[in-house]
Amino acid sequence: MICAPKLEDSVIVASNERGELTEDERSRIIEHLQKGTEMMVYQQRAERFTVQVIMETMQVALIGSRDRIVKVLDIFELKELRQWETFQDFQRFNESSTFRKIFGLSEKEVQQDSKTCFTIFYGSEFMLKSLSLNADSVEDAEKWLTGLELLRQETLAAHTPEIIESWLRKKMYIDNTKKNSITLKELKSLLPQMNITVPDGRFLEERFVEVGAKDYVLDFQQFHKFYDLLIFENQEVLLEEFEKGPAAFTISNTNRPESSVLPLSDFQNFLLYRQKETWAKNLNKVQELMTIFINDTMRKTDYPKFTIGEFLSFLFSKENSIWDEKFSEICPLDMNNPLSHYWINSSHNTYLTGDQMRSESSTEAYVRCLRLGCRCIELDCWNGRDEPVIYHGGTMTSKIKFKDAVKAINDHAFITSEYPVVLSIEEHCDTTQQKVIAQMLKDVFQDKLLTKPLDPEAKHLPSPNQLKGKIIIKHQKISESDHTDKGNTAGKSKLNSFKNVFKKIGKPKENMVLEKEGELCIWDPIHMRFYKHDCVISDNKLYYSEEKEEDSPKEGSDLHLFEPWFHGRMAKGRITAKRLLHDFCKGRNGKDGTFLVRESDKFIRNYSISIWTRRRVQHYRIFWSSENGHASFFLTSKQCFPSMCALIEHYRQNLIEYDGLNLHLKNFLPRLNFVSHHQLGWFYSNLSQAKAEEYLLRIPRDGAFLIRQREEPDTFELSVRVEGVIKHYLIYRYNGKYVLADIYEFFRLEDMVSCFREQLFIGKIKLRYPVTPQLVERICMEDLLTCDGELYSEVHMVGQVPEDNPLGHQCKGVVDISKCNVARNAKYGRPLVVTLLNKENVKLIEFTCEILEQVEEWYQVVLNIIQSIIEKMENKTKIAVEMSDMVVYCQSIKKTLNTTFENYNCKEVRSFKDDDFTKKGNEVKPDCILEYNRIALSRVYPKGFRVDSSNFDPCPSWKLGCQMAALNFQTADKFMWLNSALFSLNGGTGYVLKPEWMRDPTKKKPSKQKIRIRVIAARHLPNSEHIISPFVKVELLPYTGARVDDYSFKTTFLNDNGLNPVWLGPRNPPKCFEVDEPDLAFLCFEVSEGDAFSDPKVLAQATFPVRGIRSGYRSVPLKNVFSENLELASLLVHVEHVEV
């Protein structure tokens, strides 16, 4: 067991992160590793060793005094390199003063540098071994990190002949001693390790003579030849397989591996007609493949020839694998379906390294699962002394800190796969520590954490592509029914300061309790300004009236809105104005006095004029004030004007003598896309009715309007939004006037709009929001850039206004504070603005007051209501609001099985024990479960009595469309083999698209298939203690019928041969399997050792989805029970897909 590291400074080393190396740089790094580097090595104790790479065997060796190799590890088993400062192995020795005294080191000498310390993780089981090292320099550490990663990648990509040579070198280096020869005596001791017995001593002596050995000593080349003879000895009979059938070829003199040859043309025909390899039509590719296995340079020509030994070596090689690698490739187009359309690689009790009673919990278990492609991991959270911990509650399993777990997850979540990770939190903490959990999740994951839906209105889950790099929280969420809406009674009092409002709108009901009342300035995102409203907070709701009539400028004061020199509100205000004027004047030799006018970006209802003078831009404030309904515009208070247009015209005729200026206004910079005055902003000369409706629906305000030209001459149409519905009214010209709805007559369209801006049109609505092209463009852009914008504010915030509200008929809208979050900050030129947001962080309303202290009072009332509601909800549900707010797409729902599929939405997750679907009393039809899993997610987990962490068969759950079958990754059993096989598809991303018939009820299942399998031979079967007597079991999983014999078969036992056993003859016939579910069927090859006195022991296995099985004579590369590759171990089988 290794100690759990702290991962704050972990660095995952990968070749692409360190950049592409030139061949010269690579060679220098590898040479450095071969020479060896003295380092401090941390194991049970800290010692200095020379760490060296042995290239012949592809191993890392620790070399002690007298060049004695004390430890080696295979680069083949290397899984990860991690660089950090505080790995506990290092930390433990740093803190030990005894350690320093023993080794005579000063404290400074043992202080570790994060860039010189690194750890190698290696092994072939679930929990990896570790070797912690500390180099003397950063340069040495970097070379080792880079070099080992290079060698790891090269080892994985190595061809079979290279692997055989490395394997033979390891066998020759007896007792980890580098040797270039091996004696007859040593070879006799070595044969059991090679998993074979020989008839007698004479057999070995004859082979020594045959390879040209002298004095019963073999050099490496002779040892290689001896191996070729030995491996061929029992398998020359296999060549008879190819003397019959399609593309048959006859080989004579087959008593030695090099005694006969197979020409290029025969091998090409073999690939085409026996192996069904269409690519073999390309002769160049066939030549390239043959060259890999030919060890004689003289035969690597344009027309290569295989020796029969090389041909057999090819048959057993990974290059001839039964698995079609195209099924292991990522298909990006397949990642655009909703999450519910995928099987998702999922773990149960992810933190455990063993059983559920006494095993260790470890952050490294999370790392291992994530790096194995798991995308849904479990965190069992419990109250700790000072902070939350993770362990299997009520047992003797050890505890780890929640904080350490999420840091490990953050560092490793997206190394193997970039697609989303689901954290399935099993919550046992009180609300206090839940709040700590929520804060830790935010602090650690930051923007990786998904906290709001991508599309709040979507009826389906987003796709893996849309959620790349995101962490999704699966947890219980406070539902709407859990919200308290009885009102906040704390601190309520009847107020009397609002008598003037109730004189106008009537008194509220006698039993209505008011918490706050007064006048608020509410931000209008359409006009982009504040309007005053009468407001009341009562029964946890904020009621607000129509905007109050303000002293508005009279005739002509807003004519500047239609002048080409007026640019309105500019993004980045003066910076943009300066850039535009500079570009305009510089290109035209601009004269002093060129100008533009814009809205001030600092002051409400004020403006700025930007003027080009002396080859630079100056900005001045134009003040606005209103008294008795009359507007005034001025640069200085000495001279006021009734309109902006009057002010500009005056300074065109007269000098501006102000703040050092002494010039006339001359040319102006015209507004982009300026329309002439007669068109205005709300008039469209070429717009269809459908497009008009689309524009108006984008503006979520009643009173939004536009006028458009109709196709008939002299006819127009007023389109206006009334109570959320778009209505159209005919306008036509008659006797020089514009007639609206056959009732109203006006000389100009502008007069019509001005009239109904002041009074109600059809007694219902005022024309309040002109839908201009600029407004539509801005709304569309905000639509693309943000989902929390004001675009949705009225849609979400205003429900049906109750008739008995405290504002009576004057009430325009209501916000339910109990369902809101609140924030406050400085914005829109005001020192304090209060924002109410819904639970998806969509803005509902923003308000302020003219007096700062009053804003604070309103904020405190709102905050007290929200905090009171939160406290009641948390007490009722035992769920912290902070945790609830993090739950978006994976809301854990608890329902009985028979009611769980009645009412649901795409954001819910249902969890089931592994036997829920099969136990008695289950009345749910499979079609109902499938239909649910098309929309929403489900997770199936092992039932409680599996204390040994055994797994259940995930196939029945997958067949019902359940996305997450959560298995114990630490348990090496057949069901984990199935899991590894399924998720080897689609590039090991952890997401596999379910078949079309599961996603679409109108599609049919694919037809049944048949596949015939024959086990022929094996090579390099693993052995741990002695020479094995193997047999092979082949199964088609899952079983879909009652007869077990229809889904499995076994070969015979072969005594004392794990190196090159052969299963031929009538006692080992082929087996034809009928595949009922081709999309969810697996072929499992299991190699076991057994005898008449003990149960079989599984030595190796290989499990594949049937959909990717290739025809012909194929190698089955074997894995151990943890689904880790075994070096060179393989079966040779014949596969035939039979037409049904």
PDB file of all heavy atoms in Angstrom, residues 370-382:
ATOM      1  N   LEU A 370      -9.899   7.251 -12.276  1.00  0.00           N
ATOM      2  CA  LEU A 370      -9.987   8.293 -13.302  1.00  0.00           C
ATOM      3  C   LEU A 370      -9.053   7.995 -14.467  1.00  0.00           C
ATOM      4  O   LEU A 370      -9.405   8.186 -15.632  1.00  0.00           O
ATOM      5  CB  LEU A 370      -9.663   9.658 -12.694  1.00  0.00           C
ATOM      6  CG  LEU A 370     -10.736  10.229 -11.765  1.00  0.00           C
ATOM      7  CD1 LEU A 370     -10.188  11.406 -10.968  1.00  0.00           C
ATOM      8  CD2 LEU A 370     -11.974  10.659 -12.547  1.00  0.00           C
ATOM      9  N   ARG A 371      -7.866   7.504 -14.162  1.00  0.00           N
ATOM     10  CA  ARG A 371      -6.911   7.203 -15.223  1.00  0.00           C
ATOM     11  C   ARG A 371      -7.281   5.942 -15.985  1.00  0.00           C
ATOM     12  O   ARG A 371      -6.790   5.716 -17.095  1.00  0.00           O
ATOM     13  CB  ARG A 371      -5.500   7.095 -14.639  1.00  0.00           C
ATOM     14  CG  ARG A 371      -4.920   8.470 -14.315  1.00  0.00           C
ATOM     15  CD  ARG A 371      -3.529   8.384 -13.730  1.00  0.00           C
ATOM     16  NE  ARG A 371      -2.880   9.683 -13.810  1.00  0.00           N
ATOM     17  CZ  ARG A 371      -2.066  10.075 -14.788  1.00  0.00           C
ATOM     18  NH1 ARG A 371      -1.810   9.249 -15.779  1.00  0.00           N
ATOM     19  NH2 ARG A 371      -1.525  11.265 -14.786  1.00  0.00           N
ATOM     20  N   LEU A 372      -8.156   5.118 -15.391  1.00  0.00           N
ATOM     21  CA  LEU A 372      -8.688   3.959 -16.112  1.00  0.00           C
ATOM     22  C   LEU A 372      -9.911   4.324 -16.945  1.00  0.00           C
ATOM     23  O   LEU A 372     -10.545   3.451 -17.537  1.00  0.00           O
ATOM     24  CB  LEU A 372      -9.049   2.846 -15.118  1.00  0.00           C
ATOM     25  CG  LEU A 372      -7.858   2.108 -14.493  1.00  0.00           C
ATOM     26  CD1 LEU A 372      -8.331   1.194 -13.367  1.00  0.00           C
ATOM     27  CD2 LEU A 372      -7.090   1.309 -15.541  1.00  0.00           C
ATOM     28  N   GLY A 373     -10.267   5.604 -16.969  1.00  0.00           N
ATOM     29  CA  GLY A 373     -11.363   6.064 -17.823  1.00  0.00           C
ATOM     30  C   GLY A 373     -12.695   6.203 -17.124  1.00  0.00           C
ATOM     31  O   GLY A 373     -13.708   6.474 -17.771  1.00  0.00           O
ATOM     32  N   CYS A 374     -12.725   6.040 -15.798  1.00  0.00           N
ATOM     33  CA  CYS A 374     -13.989   6.173 -15.073  1.00  0.00           C
ATOM     34  C   CYS A 374     -14.472   7.622 -15.139  1.00  0.00           C
ATOM     35  O   CYS A 374     -13.702   8.560 -14.949  1.00  0.00           O
ATOM     36  CB  CYS A 374     -13.790   5.743 -13.617  1.00  0.00           C
ATOM     37  SG  CYS A 374     -15.308   5.711 -12.675  1.00  0.00           S
ATOM     38  N   ARG A 375     -15.778   7.806 -15.366  1.00  0.00           N
ATOM     39  CA  ARG A 375     -16.350   9.146 -15.489  1.00  0.00           C
ATOM     40  C   ARG A 375     -17.391   9.439 -14.418  1.00  0.00           C
ATOM     41  O   ARG A 375     -17.907  10.557 -14.369  1.00  0.00           O
ATOM     42  CB  ARG A 375     -17.011   9.333 -16.857  1.00  0.00           C
ATOM     43  CG  ARG A 375     -16.078   9.262 -18.046  1.00  0.00           C
ATOM     44  CD  ARG A 375     -15.135  10.457 -18.128  1.00  0.00           C
ATOM     45  NE  ARG A 375     -13.908  10.240 -17.394  1.00  0.00           N
ATOM     46  CZ  ARG A 375     -12.999  11.186 -17.182  1.00  0.00           C
ATOM     47  NH1 ARG A 375     -13.190  12.403 -17.623  1.00  0.00           N
ATOM     48  NH2 ARG A 375     -11.911  10.912 -16.502  1.00  0.00           N
ATOM     49  N   CYS A 376     -17.738   8.469 -13.585  1.00  0.00           N
ATOM     50  CA  CYS A 376     -18.644   8.725 -12.464  1.00  0.00           C
ATOM     51  C   CYS A 376     -18.035   8.081 -11.231  1.00  0.00           C
ATOM     52  O   CYS A 376     -17.902   6.852 -11.174  1.00  0.00           O
ATOM     53  CB  CYS A 376     -20.037   8.166 -12.727  1.00  0.00           C
ATOM     54  SG  CYS A 376     -21.161   8.366 -11.319  1.00  0.00           S
ATOM     55  N   ILE A 377     -17.636   8.897 -10.270  1.00  0.00           N
ATOM     56  CA  ILE A 377     -16.967   8.384  -9.079  1.00  0.00           C
ATOM     57  C   ILE A 377     -17.772   8.757  -7.851  1.00  0.00           C
ATOM     58  O   ILE A 377     -18.510   9.742  -7.846  1.00  0.00           O
ATOM     59  CB  ILE A 377     -15.525   8.930  -8.975  1.00  0.00           C
ATOM     60  CG1 ILE A 377     -15.516  10.455  -9.008  1.00  0.00           C
ATOM     61  CG2 ILE A 377     -14.656   8.370 -10.086  1.00  0.00           C
ATOM     62  CD1 ILE A 377     -14.146  11.060  -8.901  1.00  0.00           C
ATOM     63  N   GLU A 378     -17.620   7.965  -6.799  1.00  0.00           N
ATOM     64  CA  GLU A 378     -18.461   8.117  -5.618  1.00  0.00           C
ATOM     65  C   GLU A 378     -17.652   8.670  -4.448  1.00  0.00           C
ATOM     66  O   GLU A 378     -16.507   8.266  -4.210  1.00  0.00           O
ATOM     67  CB  GLU A 378     -19.073   6.774  -5.228  1.00  0.00           C
ATOM     68  CG  GLU A 378     -20.063   6.877  -4.073  1.00  0.00           C
ATOM     69  CD  GLU A 378     -20.744   5.561  -3.756  1.00  0.00           C
ATOM     70  OE1 GLU A 378     -20.143   4.491  -3.999  1.00  0.00           O
ATOM     71  OE2 GLU A 378     -21.884   5.588  -3.258  1.00  0.00           O
ATOM     72  N   LEU A 379     -18.278   9.585  -3.693  1.00  0.00           N
ATOM     73  CA  LEU A 379     -17.679  10.150  -2.489  1.00  0.00           C
ATOM     74  C   LEU A 379     -18.677   9.984  -1.343  1.00  0.00           C
ATOM     75  O   LEU A 379     -19.731  10.629  -1.339  1.00  0.00           O
ATOM     76  CB  LEU A 379     -17.342  11.638  -2.674  1.00  0.00           C
ATOM     77  CG  LEU A 379     -16.344  11.995  -3.783  1.00  0.00           C
ATOM     78  CD1 LEU A 379     -17.082  12.263  -5.094  1.00  0.00           C
ATOM     79  CD2 LEU A 379     -15.514  13.217  -3.408  1.00  0.00           C
ATOM     80  N   ASP A 380     -18.365   9.106  -0.398  1.00  0.00           N
ATOM     81  CA  ASP A 380     -19.199   8.921   0.793  1.00  0.00           C
ATOM     82  C   ASP A 380     -18.733   9.913   1.851  1.00  0.00           C
ATOM     83  O   ASP A 380     -17.665   9.732   2.445  1.00  0.00           O
ATOM     84  CB  ASP A 380     -19.069   7.493   1.330  1.00  0.00           C
ATOM     85  CG  ASP A 380     -19.828   6.492   0.486  1.00  0.00           C
ATOM     86  OD1 ASP A 380     -20.443   6.913  -0.502  1.00  0.00           O
ATOM     87  OD2 ASP A 380     -19.803   5.300   0.808  1.00  0.00           O
ATOM     88  N   CYS A 381     -19.511  10.958   2.080  1.00  0.00           N
ATOM     89  CA  CYS A 381     -19.081  12.073   2.928  1.00  0.00           C
ATOM     90  C   CYS A 381     -19.684  11.976   4.325  1.00  0.00           C
ATOM     91  O   CYS A 381     -20.905  11.816   4.471  1.00  0.00           O
ATOM     92  CB  CYS A 381     -19.477  13.404   2.277  1.00  0.00           C
ATOM     93  SG  CYS A 381     -18.783  13.605   0.627  1.00  0.00           S
ATOM     94  N   TRP A 382     -18.825  12.129   5.332  1.00  0.00           N
ATOM     95  CA  TRP A 382     -19.243  12.058   6.729  1.00  0.00           C
ATOM     96  C   TRP A 382     -18.632  13.221   7.492  1.00  0.00           C
ATOM     97  O   TRP A 382     -17.595  13.770   7.096  1.00  0.00           O
ATOM     98  CB  TRP A 382     -18.788  10.734   7.367  1.00  0.00           C
ATOM     99  CG  TRP A 382     -19.429   9.530   6.750  1.00  0.00           C
ATOM    100  CD1 TRP A 382     -19.048   8.914   5.594  1.00  0.00           C
ATOM    101  CD2 TRP A 382     -20.563   8.817   7.228  1.00  0.00           C
ATOM    102  NE1 TRP A 382     -19.862   7.855   5.322  1.00  0.00           N
ATOM    103  CE2 TRP A 382     -20.811   7.747   6.318  1.00  0.00           C
ATOM    104  CE3 TRP A 382     -21.392   8.941   8.351  1.00  0.00           C
ATOM    105  CZ2 TRP A 382     -21.837   6.853   6.486  1.00  0.00           C
ATOM    106  CZ3 TRP A 382     -22.419   8.026   8.520  1.00  0.00           C
ATOM    107  CH2 TRP A 382     -22.650   6.994   7.598  1.00  0.00           C
TER     108      TRP A 382
END
